[in-house]
């Protein structure tokens, strides 16, 4: 390596390190806040160096463990199944549209794009899914509405296929007698691992973070996902604290005992951690080397 | 190009088809409903199931179904009706009810907090029509005055749960501070007098302010000397005691004076600097020793309730009289859904919630021996059984929501006579002249939306003393004018005059 | 007679033409059938999830009454749209929405592409992976929590700024939540912090897939790093940048609600620089909860976005057909 290259590496590493710190600082503030005591947060706000530590927030979440444990299971299930299904149908739709020789490809692209801008809103969507497909209070309600595929990912993958897969390669395979479907999964997909990992990550984040479907299509608490419960807890606490006259009427001492200021931070922490653990799995496909050059 | 249109029109056709199906099924439903209500005289064999949706602010209690079964034992024997409790998280509440109602899912009875909108949007069945027949007990429990307050154009669409139906206003402060610094609370007679408390706190407790904001609200919070007539766009001054002339509250001298006082306090350091942004609960702030107290609306037993919430004894100063207004009555209501198949059956069940002591106690406290036990030697007082506490009890209910709370037992720690006192309070409270008038904002909803936006923008800052009154109040008033507050007030005055005439004023 | 002949002749001709076309069409269909089959699940999903619910747009033109149902409710024309323009702030919120989103598109794209290029050049495998994970972290934190974190910095009483940083610089306290002039910068920074990492992953995926042979050849020719970036990387990821930008333009009338509502802590005094269409609609409808009016706001935002995208796509097509969306 030349000296110039070495100093170049130094410079870019310093830049990236600065950016990484900028991303990490607020996150560490989050973690510190979740283990600060209620009183010290109220007196001094959220700080990196709280006067007094307290695990009360996690203790509070722990008392809801039976609920949360089940919800974690649901979330892992829908994230895994949903991400796999999402990857499959997204790439299956994106590939044909990416082919410049496909008849009507612009129309299809437009149809996909149109869905990004216009939507009928929650009410009609709910009507379709509950009245026509009877998804209410089923596990499908967490998998299908709104999450399974989105136009953004389709167009992203399509653009990737268009720019990164040389048409000559497909033609060559076609001449060799490979069918379209075989070409798709034997040549196109293996060449597209980085983008597949990217949208896989996006889909996984989407499924993992989704609480809306749980609140909309599910009233039976047995199908609540982790984010649905966390979101409910957060809004419940917010509601209880801002409507003390209502809360105070119930005899439970719970309201006074909820460490509300640190709990919301603890909730954010336990919601994010698993995604961080899953991240390296997707990252594996972010390596250089599986490139067209290597295949050729 | 042609092909493109072909595709689009195919999709369009499909959509119209679905839409048409939707309409069909909709009209079928109403036809069914009509035919069924015709034959309501017949006695049906199977018990009718009432689906009762209500908001819940915690996780669903694990013994909910057990309690439901117990309630059903009684209601089935008495009126051949069973209930299915459908608790919905408060975060999903509004959406979920809208969705259930548009999609025609089974929903018979619901709690609600915005009576006027619910009625104008057609969500509620006009129970007034069948009230005399099936809901007599509710009228008796409520008293004619308060029942009349629910009538819109002469018809009732829902009934308030029986709880504190009036409100008085004042300030609570930690008892230990009052004793420590010998603060004479009796010298506080008016709103301006609170300064006497705040200045002592400021001088003696350097790390504490005199007053904090109500959580999610301003410092002034719910403190009120007017009848807001629902939304504060056009109010009656002096708690609606004088006449029926609607005025723009935000442009009154009284309001300006209140704001100036608050501003003065803010600048003197009596108020939290972050009062307009602060996201913490009032109780937590007081508990942490950052503030001495806060303004609030009140009721008998309020001190005990707040002491429990804060975890320290508090005392209250009351400076505005107890008043009953439409808003204090209708802010927690129960009603029959316009989707209900057999409204009369639903109303019969609702009637039980206002008359049957056993049902009320099941709703409020759960099953005796399992979720609560009677306290020895004290009639009507209950506590947790041994080994049970607030964290692990299998059931909890919201007494203030489920019907007639005055039939409920009193939990350990509360004044044994709290409900008797509240009933007395409801009776003796001053009644606004406009009690019973509910404003229908539908004709001016554009203006209401725009004005609500303005309110959101200015109110919390001004009423917390954070903003400069001389500069921002005129802006606030001007923007409200732009948004059309005059038109709202005109409509409101019109409706109020009609209402007053119809009610013999 | 003449006219009859004159009519039939071209008719015959066209039917012959269509026959040929049909045959070609059949052959084409057979060839592309597998591809169309692949598309079926995705298209069916789009129809169910996106196209069928479109009938709900009628809600925007109706006065919804629940006892009458959606279709039985009265038509009220454009009345639901009126409140969008009723306020004297209509100009301010439209301006804010457009300016912020315009700035966000440019700034975030530049930052994301720059980081992606740098990341791609990092030789140390471990560090590279570390950076990649860390930059998406902010994207995973909800805006409500970001709002609390921002509050810990800007709180008048106990914030980092007023308590530590400003005194260190010898400056006076600033009442952050009542002084609108600072917020365009704060919001832009928060948005970049929150969203650039996510965008960066997309660009990184495209850069990784660039054939290394290009760079090898360029290095042999003695091209500098900067020249390589300009001549190879940027042109090759331009289609992705164009697509992302077009999509962002389509949503230019929408705004990140959490960013504009939660981060300024719903402070009314900041409205001049923080009020956007979504927050205006939210505040106005908080009490009324009118689905007709909220639906109207959505339709308005969609239509403006749609028109803007069609225009920009047309321009992109003129410049380079390949890069156009459709």
């Amino acid at each position: 390596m030349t000296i110039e290259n070495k100093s170049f590496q130094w410079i870019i590493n310093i830049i990236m390190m600065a950016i990484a710190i900028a991303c990490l600082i607020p996150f560490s503030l989050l973690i510190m806040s979740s283990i600060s005591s209620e009183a010290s947060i109220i007196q001094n706000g959220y700080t990196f160096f709280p006067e007094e530590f307290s695990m009360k927030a996690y203790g509070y979440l722990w008392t809801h463990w039976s609920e949360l444990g089940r919800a974690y299971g649901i979330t892992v299930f829908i994230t895994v199944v949903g991400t796999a299904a999402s990857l499959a149908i997204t790439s299956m739709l994106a590939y044909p549209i990416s082919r410049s020789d496909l008849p009507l490809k612009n129309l299809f692209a437009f149809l996909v794009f149109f869905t990004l801008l216009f939507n009928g809103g929650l009410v009609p969507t709910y009507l379709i899914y509950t009245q026509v497909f009877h998804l209410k209070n089923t596990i499908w309600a967490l998998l299908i509405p709104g999450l399974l595929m989105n136009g953004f990912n389709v167009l992203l993958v399509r653009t990737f296929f268009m720019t990164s897969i040389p048409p000559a390669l497909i033609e060559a395979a076609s001449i060799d007698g490979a069918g379209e479907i075989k070409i798709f999964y034997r040549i196109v997909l293996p060449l597209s691992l980085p983008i597949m990992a990217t949208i896989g990550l996006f889909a996984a984040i989407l499924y993992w973070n989704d609480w809306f479907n749980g609140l909309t299509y599910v009233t039976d608490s047995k199908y609540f996902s982790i984010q649905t419960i966390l979101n409910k807890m957060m809004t419940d606490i917010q509601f209880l604290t801002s409507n003390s006259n209502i809360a105070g009427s119930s005899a439970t001492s719970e309201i006074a005992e909820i460490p509300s200021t640190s709990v919301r931070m603890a909730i954010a922490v336990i919601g994010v951690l698993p995604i961080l653990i899953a991240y390296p799995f997707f990252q594996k496909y972010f390596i250089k080397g599986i490139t067209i050059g290597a295949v050729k | 190009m042609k092909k493109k249109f072909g595709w689009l029109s195919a999709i369009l056709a499909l959509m119209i088809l679905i839409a048409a199906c939707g309409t069909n099924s909709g009209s079928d439903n109403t036809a069914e409903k009509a035919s069924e209500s015709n034959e309501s005289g017949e006695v049906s064999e199977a018990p009718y199931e009432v689906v009762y949706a209500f908001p819940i602010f915690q996780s669903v209690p694990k013994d909910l179904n057990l309690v439901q079964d117990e309630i059903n034992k009684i209601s089935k024997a008495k009126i051949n009706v069973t209930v299915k409790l459908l608790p919905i998280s408060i975060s999903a509440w509004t959406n979920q009810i809208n969705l259930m109602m548009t999609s025609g899912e089974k929903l018979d009875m619901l709690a609600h907090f915005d009576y006027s909108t619910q009625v104008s949007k057609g969500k509620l069945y006009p129970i007034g029509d069948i009230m005399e027949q099936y809901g007599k007990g509710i009228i008796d429990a409520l008293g004619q005055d308060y029942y009349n307050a629910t009538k819109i154009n002469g018809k009732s669409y829902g009934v308030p749960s029986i709880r504190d139906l009036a409100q008085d206003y004042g300030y609570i402060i930690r008892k230990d501070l009052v004793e420590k610094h010998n603060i004479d609370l009796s010298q506080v007679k008016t709103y301006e007098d609170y300064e006497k408390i705040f200045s002592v706190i400021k001088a003696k407790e350097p790390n504490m302010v005199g007053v904090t904001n109500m959580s999610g609200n301003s410092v002034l919070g719910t403190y009120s000397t007017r009848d807001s007539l629902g939304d504060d766009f056009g109010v009656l001054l002096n708690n609606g005691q004088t006449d029926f002339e609607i005025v723009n509250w935000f442009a009154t001298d009284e309001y300006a004076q209140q704001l100036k006082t608050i501003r003065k306090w803010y600048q003197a350091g009596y108020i939290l600097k972050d009062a307009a942004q602060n996201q913490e609960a009032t109780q937590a702030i007081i508990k942490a020793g950052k503030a001495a107290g806060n303004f609030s609306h009140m009721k008998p037993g309020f001190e005990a309730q707040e002491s429990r919430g804060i975890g320290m004894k508090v005392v209250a100063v009351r400076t505005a009289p107890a008043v009953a207004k439409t808003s204090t009555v209708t802010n927690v209501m129960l009603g029959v859904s316009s989707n209900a198949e057999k409204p009369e059956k639903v109303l019969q069940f609702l009637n039980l919630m206002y008359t049957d002591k056993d049902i009320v106690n099941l709703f409020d406290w759960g099953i005796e021996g399992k979720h609560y036990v009677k306290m020895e030697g004290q009639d009507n007082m209950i506590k947790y059984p041994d080994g049970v506490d607030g964290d692990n009890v299998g059931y909890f209910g919201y007494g203030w929501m489920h019907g007639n709370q005055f039939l409920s037992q009193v939990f350990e720690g509360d004044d044994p006579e709290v409900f008797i006192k509240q009933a007395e309070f409801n009776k003796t409270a001053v009644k606004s002249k406009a009690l019973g008038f509910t404003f229908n904002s539908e004709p001016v909803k554009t203006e209401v939306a725009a004005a609500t936006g303005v309110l959101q923008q200015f109110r919390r800052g001004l009423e917390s003393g954070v903003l400069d009154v001389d500069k921002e109040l005129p802006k606030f008033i001007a923007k409200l004018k732009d948004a059309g507050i005059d038109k709202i007030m005109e409509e409101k005055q019109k409706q109020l005059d009609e209402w007053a005439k119809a009610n013999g004023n | 007679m003449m006219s009859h002949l004159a009519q039939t002749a071209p008719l015959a001709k066209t039917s012959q033409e269509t026959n040929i076309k049909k045959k070609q069409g059949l052959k084409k269909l057979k060839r592309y059938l597998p591809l169309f089959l692949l598309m079926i699940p995705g298209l069916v999903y789009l129809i169910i999830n996106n196209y069928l619910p479109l009938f709900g747009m009628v809600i925007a033109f109706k006065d919804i009454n629940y006892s009458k149902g959606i279709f039985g409710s009265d038509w009220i024309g454009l009345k639901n749209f009126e409140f969008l323009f009723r306020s004297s702030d209509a100009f301010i919120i439209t301006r804010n929405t457009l300016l912020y989103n315009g700035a966000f598109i440019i700034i975030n794209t530049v930052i994301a592409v720059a980081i992606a290029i740098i990341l791609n050049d990092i030789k140390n495998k471990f560090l590279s992976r570390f950076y990649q994970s860390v930059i998406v972290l902010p994207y995973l934190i909800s805006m409500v929590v970001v709002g609390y974190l921002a509050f810990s910095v800007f709180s008048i009483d106990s914030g980092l700024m007023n308590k530590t940083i400003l005194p260190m610089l010898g400056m006076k306290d600033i009442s952050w939540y009542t002084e609108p002039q600072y917020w365009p910068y704060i919001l832009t920074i928060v948005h970049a912090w929150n969203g650039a990492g996510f965008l960066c992953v997309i660009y990184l995926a495209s850069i990784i897939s660039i054939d290394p042979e290009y760079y090898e050849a360029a290095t042999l020719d003695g091209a500098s790093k900067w020249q390589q970036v300009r001549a190879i990387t940027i042109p090759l990821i331009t289609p992705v940048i164009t697509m992302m930008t077009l999509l962002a333009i389509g949503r230019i009338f929408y705004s990140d609600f959490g960013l504009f509502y939660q981060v300024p802590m719903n402070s009314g005094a900041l409205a001049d620089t923080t009020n956007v269409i979504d927050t205006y609609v939210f505040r106005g409808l908080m009490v009324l909860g009118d689905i007709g009016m909220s639906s109207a706001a959505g339709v308005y935002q969609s239509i403006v976005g749609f028109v803007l995208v069609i225009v920009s796509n047309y321009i992109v097509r003129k410049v380079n057909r390949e890069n156009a969306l459709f």
Side-chain angles (χ1 to χ4, degrees):
Chain A
M1 207 183 270
T2 63
I3 293 170
E4 194 192 338
N5 255 339
K6 235 179 200 162
S7 58
F8 176 73
Q9 282 296 319
W10 267 106
I11 294 168
I12 59 177
N13 268 299
I14 289 171
I15 295 174
M16 280 315 298
M17 203 46 102
I19 292 171
I21 289 172
C23 293
L24 276 176
I25 282 185
F27 198 72
S28 52
L29 178 57
L30 188 70
I31 293 174
M32 291 315 285
S33 312
S34 72
I35 54 172
S36 305
S37 83
E38 181 84 351
S40 74
I41 292 177
I42 290 175
Q43 283 296 353
N44 307 313
Y46 298 119
T47 59
F48 291 100
F49 311 104
E51 278 169 15
E52 191 189 345
F53 289 96
S54 157
M55 294 302 281
K56 249 186 155 175
Y58 292 96
Y60 173 75
L61 292 178
W62 180 251
T63 60
H64 289 72
W65 173 244
S66 59
E67 227 181 318
L68 291 175
R70 188 192 162 81
Y72 256 116
I74 297 264
T75 296
V76 169
F77 175 79
I78 59 162
T79 305
V80 171
V81 174
T83 306
S86 177
L87 274 176
I89 76 166
T90 304
S91 54
M92 278 156 67
L93 178 57
Y95 173 61
I97 306 177
S98 77
R99 287 274 296 265
S100 57
D101 53 336
L102 185 88
L104 297 178
K105 72 168 166 85
N106 269 346
L107 169 65
F108 288 118
F110 180 80
L111 285 178
V112 171
F113 164 73
F114 189 80
T115 62
L116 283 178
L117 287 185
F118 288 91
N119 64 76
L122 178 61
V123 174
T125 313
Y126 180 87
L127 280 176
I128 300 273
Y129 278 118
T130 59
Q131 301 301 300
V132 183
F133 295 100
H134 303 289
L135 288 190
K136 192 156 191 183
N137 283 329
T138 63
I139 190 87
W140 300 108
L142 301 178
L143 281 168
I144 297 175
L147 299 172
L148 191 53
M149 187 183 82
N150 68 57
F152 176 78
N153 285 352
V154 175
L155 292 176
L156 188 62
V157 176
R158 166 198 181 234
T159 310
F160 187 91
F161 286 153
M162 278 165 75
T163 52
S164 306
I165 314 281
L169 199 67
I170 294 171
E171 239 163 72
S174 186
I175 290 165
D176 287 348
E180 290 289 359
I181 294 186
K182 196 169 174 191
I183 293 176
F184 172 59
Y185 78 90
R186 293 296 282 276
I187 297 175
V188 176
L189 283 187
L191 284 178
S192 312
L193 287 179
I195 194 71
M196 287 294 139
T198 308
I199 64 157
L201 175 70
F202 293 167
I205 293 178
L206 214 57
Y207 274 107
W208 185 272
N209 281 341
D210 183 68
W211 46 268
F212 187 76
N213 279 7
L215 282 186
T216 310
Y217 298 99
V218 175
T219 49
D220 181 350
S221 53
K222 104 176 156 211
Y223 291 120
F224 281 154
S225 67
I226 188 79
Q227 296 290 356
T228 304
I229 291 193
L230 295 180
N231 184 279
K232 254 160 46 81
M233 266 188 198
M234 197 117 141
T235 37
D236 288 350
I237 292 173
Q238 231 157 23
F239 188 88
L240 286 175
T241 50
S242 58
N243 291 275
S244 56
N245 52 328
I246 287 178
S249 312
S250 90
T252 53
S253 55
E254 197 177 6
I255 300 101
E257 296 302 315
I258 301 173
S260 59
T261 47
S262 46
V263 146
R264 50 192 172 213
M265 295 305 174
I267 282 174
V269 172
I270 68 165
V272 170
L273 280 183
I275 273 278
L276 290 185
I277 295 164
Y279 196 81
F281 174 79
F282 293 100
Q283 225 175 17
K284 183 158 86 180
Y285 300 99
F286 258 76
I287 328 159
K288 282 183 122 170
I290 318 169
T291 50
I292 296 130
V295 175
K296 259 195 253 175
Chain B
M1 205 54 198
K2 218 173 155 192
K3 273 183 189 160
K4 245 182 221 182
F5 279 115
W7 260 97
L8 285 177
S9 55
I11 287 167
L12 208 68
L14 200 61
M15 269 161 46
I16 291 168
L17 199 74
I18 290 269
C21 290
T23 356
N24 277 343
S25 63
S27 55
D28 280 353
N29 276 343
T30 45
E32 266 169 45
K33 230 188 280 168
S35 69
E36 243 149 334
S37 53
N38 280 339
E39 47 196 347
S40 59
E42 290 173 35
V43 181
S44 50
E45 294 283 302
Y48 181 73
E49 188 185 60
V50 171
V51 174
Y52 170 31
F54 57 89
I56 184 161
F57 315 95
Q58 285 129 305
S59 13
V60 176
K62 63 176 192 291
D63 292 343
L64 186 79
N65 286 332
L66 295 179
V67 175
Q68 178 181 308
D69 292 343
E70 290 297 316
I71 295 173
N72 285 341
K73 271 186 207 156
I74 305 175
S75 64
K76 207 169 145 188
K78 284 199 162 170
I79 52 171
N80 198 29
V81 167
T82 60
V83 68
K84 180 166 169 29
L85 300 177
L86 186 63
I88 295 171
S89 166
I90 186 67
S91 45
W93 172 253
T94 316
N95 254 343
Q96 196 60 238
I97 293 296
N98 283 351
L99 292 171
M100 287 179 77
M101 300 224 46
T102 37
S103 66
E105 277 171 54
K106 185 166 165 61
L107 175 65
D108 296 289
M109 195 166 95
L110 67 157
H112 51 92
F113 311 105
D114 46 353
Y115 187 50
S116 164
T117 346
Q118 303 280 331
V119 174
S120 63
K121 289 287 170 200
K123 288 186 195 166
L124 299 173
Y125 179 87
I127 49 173
D129 289 347
I130 51 173
M131 201 70 176
E132 290 292 333
Q133 215 175 332
Y134 302 103
K136 198 84 187 63
I138 303 176
I139 304 181
D140 292 343
L142 208 51
Q144 198 67 42
D145 271 1
Y146 284 114
Y147 173 60
N148 284 345
T150 64
K151 288 182 179 171
I152 294 180
N153 293 329
K155 221 179 249 185
S156 171
Y157 291 80
V159 284
S161 61
I162 301 187
R163 40 166 224 287
D164 48 317
L165 296 173
Q167 289 171 348
D168 51 2
Y169 306 89
Y171 167 80
I172 56 158
I173 179 168
R174 268 169 53 181
K175 198 174 177 198
D176 58 325
L177 293 172
V178 175
E179 284 161 0
K180 191 167 144 201
H181 303 304
N182 277 323
I183 302 173
D184 177 13
L185 295 178
S186 65
Q187 62 179 335
V188 178
K189 297 273 191 281
T190 65
Y191 172 74
E192 272 77 19
D193 290 343
Y194 285 111
E195 193 168 332
K196 293 174 189 163
I197 303 178
F198 302 158
S199 56
V200 176
I201 299 290
K202 167 90 183 162
K204 305 269 176 68
E205 299 278 345
N207 290 324
M208 197 183 279
V209 296
V211 59
T212 178
N213 59 307
M214 271 183 92
S215 23
N217 206 327
S218 64
V219 170
L220 199 52
T222 51
Y223 192 90
S224 163
T225 54
R226 64 196 181 277
D227 184 344
S228 71
L229 298 176
D231 54 12
D232 265 334
F233 301 126
V235 305
L236 296 180
L237 292 182
N238 189 21
N239 289 321
Q241 298 305 299
T242 328
D243 51 23
F244 287 111
E245 185 170 325
I246 285 175
V247 296
N248 180 358
W249 166 245
F250 304 106
T252 58
D253 287 342
E254 192 184 348
Y255 184 63
Q257 205 46 53
Q258 278 186 4
L259 293 189
K260 279 180 187 150
T261 312
I262 288 255
R263 176 71 179 165
K264 191 174 74 188
W265 293 342
Y266 182 84
Q267 283 168 330
Y270 300 159
I271 292 175
L272 277 188
K273 287 271 171 289
D274 285 323
Q277 276 74 44
N278 176 13
Q279 303 288 310
E280 317 304 343
T282 315
Q283 288 94 334
I285 292 173
I286 297 176
K287 189 180 178 184
K290 210 174 179 182
N294 70 293
F295 289 116
S296 180
H297 60 276
M298 298 181 176
K299 61 180 178 188
F302 185 73
E303 294 92 328
Q305 172 194 309
E306 288 300 288
S307 300
R308 202 161 49 221
I310 295 168
M312 293 172 170
K313 279 256 172 281
V314 297
V315 286
V317 191
R318 290 172 158 85
T319 46
V323 190
K325 314 164 207 175
T326 308
S327 56
T328 63
V329 175
T330 60
N331 62 6
V332 184
M333 300 277 280
L334 292 169
V336 176
S337 146
S338 55
N339 279 354
E341 212 180 297
K342 296 183 178 174
E344 71 288 350
K345 285 282 178 195
V346 186
L347 189 56
Q348 280 178 309
F349 182 79
L350 189 60
N351 196 42
L352 281 188
M353 290 171 67
Y354 282 78
T355 51
D356 191 305
K357 212 169 161 33
D358 296 330
I359 285 200
V360 170
N361 279 299
L362 278 165
F363 263 116
D364 294 359
W365 303 114
I367 301 163
E368 185 176 352
K370 191 172 171 70
H371 304 126
Y372 70 89
V373 291
K374 291 212 148 98
M375 276 167 79
E376 272 170 55
Q378 265 170 303
D379 202 28
N380 230 17
M381 292 294 285
I382 57 169
K383 59 175 187 179
Y384 289 126
D386 291 336
V388 174
D389 60 33
D391 289 333
N392 65 15
V393 65
Y395 181 83
F396 55 85
Y398 306 119
W400 48 270
M401 185 161 68
H402 298 302
N404 187 351
Q405 196 181 13
F406 294 172
L407 295 180
S408 181
Q409 283 143 313
V410 180
F411 203 80
E412 181 182 19
D414 262 331
D415 181 350
E417 297 198 324
V418 63
F419 294 135
I420 300 167
K421 284 182 182 160
Q422 278 187 17
E424 190 60 27
F425 176 76
N426 289 348
K427 247 189 228 121
T428 54
V430 175
K431 294 185 176 68
S432 162
K433 282 191 157 187
L435 174 64
F437 167 70
T438 302
F439 176 51
N440 176 10
S441 60
E442 202 59 15
V444 285
K445 65 176 181 179
T446 301
E447 286 75 17
V448 170
T452 308
V454 177
L455 219 61
Q456 287 281 319
Q457 193 182 330
F458 285 93
R459 199 167 185 180
R460 189 165 170 188
L462 279 171
E463 295 182 6
S464 298
V466 175
L467 298 178
D468 182 357
V469 180
D470 295 328
K471 217 173 90 202
E472 300 292 328
L473 183 60
K475 261 201 230 164
F476 180 30
I477 296 169
K479 281 209 166 167
L480 278 175
K481 271 214 170 7
D482 276 347
I485 192 173
D486 293 332
K487 201 173 160 197
I488 303 173
M489 283 166 54
E490 204 178 296
E491 174 69 28
K492 203 182 236 180
Q493 186 75 62
K494 195 184 96 201
Q495 289 185 20
L496 182 62
D497 289 344
E498 277 165 21
W499 176 86
K501 215 191 268 168
N503 286 276
N505 283 303
Chain C
M1 195 62 193
M2 271 299 282
S3 63
H4 181 72
L5 263 179
Q7 265 184 349
T8 43
L11 246 178
K13 203 179 162 197
T14 36
S15 75
Q16 219 174 5
E17 254 177 19
T18 44
N19 261 339
I20 295 168
K21 259 194 180 165
K22 247 185 201 164
K23 262 185 202 157
Q24 280 175 340
L26 271 179
K27 213 170 144 195
K28 235 180 169 178
L29 187 71
K30 210 174 160 194
R31 196 176 140 210
Y32 287 108
L33 188 65
L35 288 181
F36 283 120
L37 285 178
L38 277 181
M39 289 162 69
I40 286 176
L43 289 178
V44 167
Y45 181 72
L46 285 185
I47 289 173
I48 294 172
N49 190 68
N50 300 83
Y51 281 96
L52 289 184
L54 281 185
F55 78 83
M57 282 173 122
V58 300
I59 293 174
F61 305 95
K62 290 212 161 201
D63 180 21
I64 292 297
N65 185 308
Y66 291 88
S67 57
K68 294 180 187 165
I70 295 180
F71 297 100
S73 295
D74 305 329
W75 292 97
I76 50 166
L78 295 176
K79 194 159 190 320
N80 283 332
F81 290 83
E82 275 172 20
F83 89 109
L84 289 168
F85 310 100
R86 185 71 187 75
S87 150
S88 51
D89 291 340
F91 168 73
I92 293 181
I93 57 171
T94 313
R95 178 202 68 186
N96 286 350
T97 312
L98 285 175
L99 285 183
Y100 274 116
N101 278 333
F104 291 169
I105 292 174
I106 297 168
I107 293 171
N108 278 20
T109 307
V110 170
I111 296 179
V113 170
I115 298 180
I117 290 172
I118 294 179
L119 263 182
N120 188 47
D121 270 326
I122 298 234
K123 289 275 179 324
N124 185 314
K125 276 253 165 63
F126 171 78
L127 282 177
S128 164
R129 283 195 162 198
F130 168 72
Y131 299 142
Q132 279 176 31
S133 329
V134 167
I135 53 169
V136 286
L137 256 184
Y139 181 70
L140 299 176
I141 304 177
S142 83
M143 271 298 169
V144 182
V145 174
V146 174
Y148 291 132
L149 295 178
F151 186 65
S152 69
V153 176
F154 297 114
S155 160
I156 304 166
D157 249 358
S158 55
L160 185 70
M161 273 294 188
N162 280 3
K163 262 200 165 166
T164 319
I165 296 182
L166 291 181
M168 237 157 58
L169 300 173
M171 285 159 79
K172 262 189 25 199
D173 273 14
I174 293 174
S175 172
W176 296 96
Y177 289 93
T178 52
E179 310 238 0
Q181 70 268 31
Y182 302 108
W183 286 86
Y185 307 104
I186 297 174
L187 291 178
T188 308
I189 292 169
V190 171
H191 186 262
W193 171 80
N194 179 257
F198 167 84
L199 264 184
C200 171
V201 172
I202 294 174
Y203 293 122
L204 186 59
S206 333
I207 295 176
I208 285 175
S209 314
I210 294 174
D211 194 331
E213 281 175 11
Y214 288 121
Y215 294 106
E216 281 156 26
T219 318
L220 284 181
D221 287 348
S224 72
K225 273 271 181 244
W226 176 238
Q227 281 169 326
Q228 289 182 24
V229 166
R230 274 183 47 189
I232 302 171
T233 316
I234 300 281
L236 284 175
I237 63 168
T238 301
V240 182
I241 298 178
T242 315
M243 187 208 74
M244 298 293 293
T245 309
L246 280 175
L247 293 185
I249 290 174
R251 299 193 61 83
I252 204 158
F253 252 44
Y254 289 93
S255 33
D256 183 343
F257 174 78
L259 178 69
F260 291 96
Y261 190 80
Q262 310 284 7
V263 177
M265 288 281 166
N266 186 20
S267 174
L270 304 177
D272 278 349
T273 58
T274 62
N275 211 2
V276 289
I277 294 175
D278 287 273
T279 52
Y280 172 74
V281 171
F282 181 82
R283 292 194 180 109
L285 298 185
M286 244 169 120
V287 179
L288 285 174
D290 190 300
I291 58 170
M293 284 153 99
S294 58
S295 169
V299 169
Y300 168 60
Q301 290 172 309
S302 297
I303 288 175
V304 174
F306 184 69
V307 171
L308 288 175
V309 172
I310 296 293
V311 172
S312 6
N313 191 57
Y314 178 78
I315 297 170
V316 172
R317 263 178 99 92
K318 285 272 157 209
V319 179
N320 181 347
R321 237 189 116 76
E322 292 275 289
N323 289 347
L325 261 181
F326 41 81

